[in-house]
Amino acid sequence: MINRRGFLGAAGAGAVALGGLGASRAAGGATVDVLLDEPIGTIRPEIYSHFTEHIGGVIYDGIWVGPDSKVANIGGVRKQLVDHMKRLGEVVVRWPGGCFADAYHWRDGIGPAAKRPRRFGRWKEVTEPNAFGTHEFMRFCRLCGDAPYFAANVGMGSPSEFQDWVEYCNAPAGATTLADERVANGDRDPFGVAYWGVGNESWGCGGKFTPEDYCREYRRFTEWVPEYGVKPYLIAAGPNGNDMDWTRRFFAKWVDGARAPLAAFAAHYYCGTTGHALEFSVDQWYEMLHKANFMETLIREQWAAMGEFDPERRVKLIIDEWGCWHPPGTEINPRHLYEQMGCLRDALVAALTLDVFNRHADKVDMANVAQLINNIHSLFLADGDKFVCTPTFHVFEMYRPHHGATSVRVEAQSPEVPFKIGNRDAKLFRVAGSASRAGAKAVTITLVHSHATEPVEAEVRLKGAEAASVRKTVLSHAELNAHNTFETPDAVAPMSADADLRGGSLRVVLDPASVTRFDVILS
Ligand code: AHR
């Protein structure tokens, strides 16, 4: 197992090289052209969104500790989580599933907590106590400043159950019996839920529909959705990965006759694993990044297929579940199903994926990493009163200046990195990234440098402008599998410094296995 870069020594995050050209020898240079006058589209903050499901330790022990807990909480919601969520900007949180959504009856989760039914959990390993329901989820969203995205139950539910949920959430107090019930349950103000997913993975755990059968159901579910001042943003369950058959057959049915209201089509892409969450070879490091980078192909090909049926581009693409999914073995609590220790490798996957979304800001309306806490590609791990941010959290925070900015085209050139997938030769990009403009002067550039062991000299050229000042923030570590634990919460954390500016272009050394953000102020 080769997962130590050795030559950087054991200085950890403090070892990141922030010097200019010549500070370190690097093999094969890179150029990054930032085409400031070639806008792609506005980067919606929603592509930095989250996913929370009633599974393992996401809700119970993750978000929800309960109002009587000794763990610091605000009305039952874990306070440390709220404090950190506020650092990530105003985005969207998807709930209650996942597969759980297609077995969830929203009425189970309202009313006095002591009277709520206990159900056989969708993920079988626990009883669902329903202590966390619509009001508690909305409390969490409001505390964080985030918008809710509800996934409705198509698999075991009905159109009227869905429509009642919309009415319960959004009708003004006094308007209907359901609105009055919401008021009696503690929330006079409507929740104003705009994002509604109609089922989840309807090709699989959401009902094992054919695309045609699902499209029929979609029509029934969306035929009448009350507005109450909030235009519903209705989302259809899209493909498993890049399954073109699902997409083409769904859309062929959708255009055949009346087109049901449809704002977006939601694909899921888990790039899986290579090796283990924390034990992997250098080849497996590259293979993981390579698999993650398939998101680029998926977006291009799904978007092209959608365009065959929707040339006016009324329907946007959403990726409402994405991330690395490693085999079991690094759970911090055995009750936390699919919990995994996220390391530097997962942080680079997150960064390269977010860069892909930025580069496709004209197509992707929302993306939700799976999942927020204690599950799969988490930003946070928590157990009782212990709490830690994963390296992926730092990437999300580093990328915040992109929110709401205008994505501009980036051309990165560098020799590809050769590696092996089993016995097969493969190649991976060495440097990739994205850039955005905000206002007249501010430019944010984020770059992923994939090489496991060697730095690279890079020239970042701003086409059509000159930089007056540049700061850089770097996330890296000498160990490819470096991760944060309750005992060492800052093992992987970003470092900031001034960057080297020469005559309007930037000459930098990108550390091995790093994510770098440049904050540029134009002259
Ligand atoms: O995120 C875990 C599960 O993965 C979700 O419930 C499901 O939608 C997907 O298959």
Side-chain angles (χ1 to χ4, degrees):
M1 210 59 71
I2 315 161
N3 55 17
R4 176 183 285 271
R5 281 190 248 136
F7 80 96
L8 274 180
V16 291
L18 295 172
L21 191 67
S24 177
R25 270 189 298 281
T31 57
V32 178
D33 289 329
V34 180
L35 307 172
L36 293 167
D37 293 329
E38 296 195 31
I40 295 168
T42 301
I43 298 173
R44 284 168 49 92
E46 288 84 349
I47 67 175
Y48 291 83
S49 292
H50 307 289
F51 170 40
T52 58
E53 178 169 14
H54 289 243
I55 179 174
V58 178
I59 303 296
Y60 304 111
D61 204 23
I63 299 173
W64 185 252
V65 293
D68 302 326
S69 172
K70 289 190 182 127
V71 179
N73 70 83
I74 312 170
V77 175
R78 184 184 286 277
K79 183 173 180 309
Q80 266 187 302
L81 177 61
V82 171
D83 293 344
H84 283 81
M85 289 292 277
K86 286 182 183 161
R87 289 168 53 178
L88 299 178
E90 293 178 10
V91 294
V92 174
V93 187
R94 177 176 183 244
W95 172 83
C99 295
F100 182 84
D102 280 289
Y104 181 64
H105 299 288
W106 64 270
R107 282 201 152 278
D108 288 351
I110 60 168
K115 292 197 172 157
R116 295 185 193 173
R118 285 169 295 117
R119 303 280 185 209
F120 188 57
R122 173 67 176 81
W123 290 98
K124 296 193 174 63
E125 81 282 13
V126 286
T127 298
E128 169 56 51
N130 283 305
F132 190 89
T134 298
H135 292 259
E136 291 77 18
F137 177 68
M138 285 308 308
R139 188 177 308 157
F140 174 57
C141 288
R142 285 171 166 170
L143 286 168
C144 300
D146 289 335
Y149 164 10
F150 285 12
N153 179 350
V154 171
M156 297 184 196
S158 68
S160 66
E161 182 183 14
F162 171 45
Q163 288 159 7
D164 284 352
W165 201 10
V166 179
E167 184 178 321
Y168 181 86
C169 289
N170 291 353
T176 71
T177 302
L178 280 168
D180 290 346
E181 192 178 358
R182 183 193 69 238
V183 175
N185 285 332
D187 276 291
R188 164 159 282 277
D189 290 341
F191 294 141
V193 183
Y195 297 108
W196 293 94
V198 181
N200 168 76
E201 296 194 352
S202 302
W203 38 264
C205 66
K208 297 194 176 56
F209 293 104
T210 65
E212 294 80 12
D213 286 346
Y214 170 67
C215 193
R216 265 183 222 110
E217 288 301 301
Y218 184 87
R219 278 209 182 108
R220 274 167 21 92
F221 272 69
T222 56
E223 175 56 23
W224 181 79
V225 182
E227 290 209 6
Y228 294 118
V230 185
K231 187 168 171 48
Y233 184 107
L234 295 165
I235 301 163
N240 180 14
N242 197 22
D243 180 355
M244 289 301 196
D245 187 53
W246 176 272
T247 302
R248 289 212 170 91
R249 286 170 58 190
F250 172 85
F251 276 98
K253 190 79 195 162
W254 181 68
V255 297
D256 168 23
R259 297 176 182 213
L262 176 61
F265 189 60
H268 289 179
Y269 178 56
Y270 289 98
C271 53
T273 193
T274 62
H276 172 271
L278 296 179
E279 292 167 25
F280 47 85
S281 66
V282 170
D283 277 326
Q284 288 173 322
W285 160 272
Y286 291 123
E287 190 183 346
M288 186 82 263
L289 303 185
H290 179 69
K291 284 177 167 181
N293 203 40
F294 181 73
M295 186 68 87
E296 171 91 34
T297 306
L298 184 154
I299 290 171
R300 284 187 192 285
E301 293 186 359
Q302 287 294 322
W303 186 249
M306 290 164 64
E308 292 165 18
F309 304 91
D310 175 37
E312 298 92 8
R313 295 299 189 184
R314 294 201 183 117
V315 184
K316 294 289 187 165
L317 185 60
I318 278 181
I319 314 289
D320 62 9
E321 292 185 29
W322 65 268
C324 295
W325 195 334
H326 305 299
T330 57
E331 300 83 354
I332 50 172
N333 182 325
R335 284 182 292 106
H336 295 176
L337 184 69
Y338 303 142
E339 183 170 60
Q340 59 195 39
M341 196 58 78
C343 72
L344 183 65
R345 184 172 65 155
D346 302 276
L348 263 78
V349 164
L352 78 84
T353 305
L354 294 172
D355 282 326
V356 171
F357 295 151
N358 287 346
R359 295 199 298 266
H360 293 283
D362 53 334
K363 310 174 185 72
V364 182
D365 247 20
M366 191 197 309
N368 310 68
V369 61
Q371 300 196 14
L372 180 67
I373 182 165
N374 291 344
N375 188 274
I376 314 180
H377 201 138
S378 305
L379 279 74
F380 308 102
L381 298 172
D383 189 22
D385 61 356
K386 299 193 181 76
F387 180 86
V388 69
C389 302
T390 68
T392 292
F393 163 79
H394 292 302
V395 170
F396 271 73
E397 192 176 36
M398 281 172 70
Y399 277 53
R400 197 174 156 181
H402 283 306
H403 294 204
T406 302
S407 178
V408 295
R409 208 153 70 77
V410 169
E411 280 175 2
Q413 287 186 334
S414 52
E416 289 180 308
V417 186
F419 69 101
K420 294 260 185 211
I421 301 176
N423 293 326
R424 189 161 59 82
D425 289 325
K427 283 186 175 169
L428 176 70
F429 74 82
R430 178 145 187 185
V431 176
S434 65
S436 64
R437 292 190 78 155
K441 302 258 181 205
V443 177
T444 301
I445 304 162
T446 44
L447 297 178
V448 171
H449 178 216
S450 69
H451 204 290
T453 57
E454 295 169 9
V456 68
E457 293 169 356
E459 183 178 7
V460 182
R461 302 185 293 217
L462 304 167
K463 296 290 174 164
E466 289 213 334
S469 71
V470 186
R471 290 278 295 170
K472 70 190 249 181
T473 303
V474 182
L475 187 76
S476 187
H477 199 282
E479 307 273 341
L480 296 178
N481 65 351
H483 54 282
N484 297 333
T485 65
F486 297 139
E487 294 73 33
T488 55
D490 298 318
V492 187
M495 305 266 296
S496 293
D498 285 330
D500 198 13
L501 184 64
R502 305 211 182 147
S505 78
L506 257 172
R507 290 164 184 273
V508 295
V509 173
L510 300 176
D511 284 342
S514 65
V515 182
T516 306
R517 184 189 81 209
F518 297 98
D519 300 308
V520 181
I521 302 297
L522 300 177
S523 25

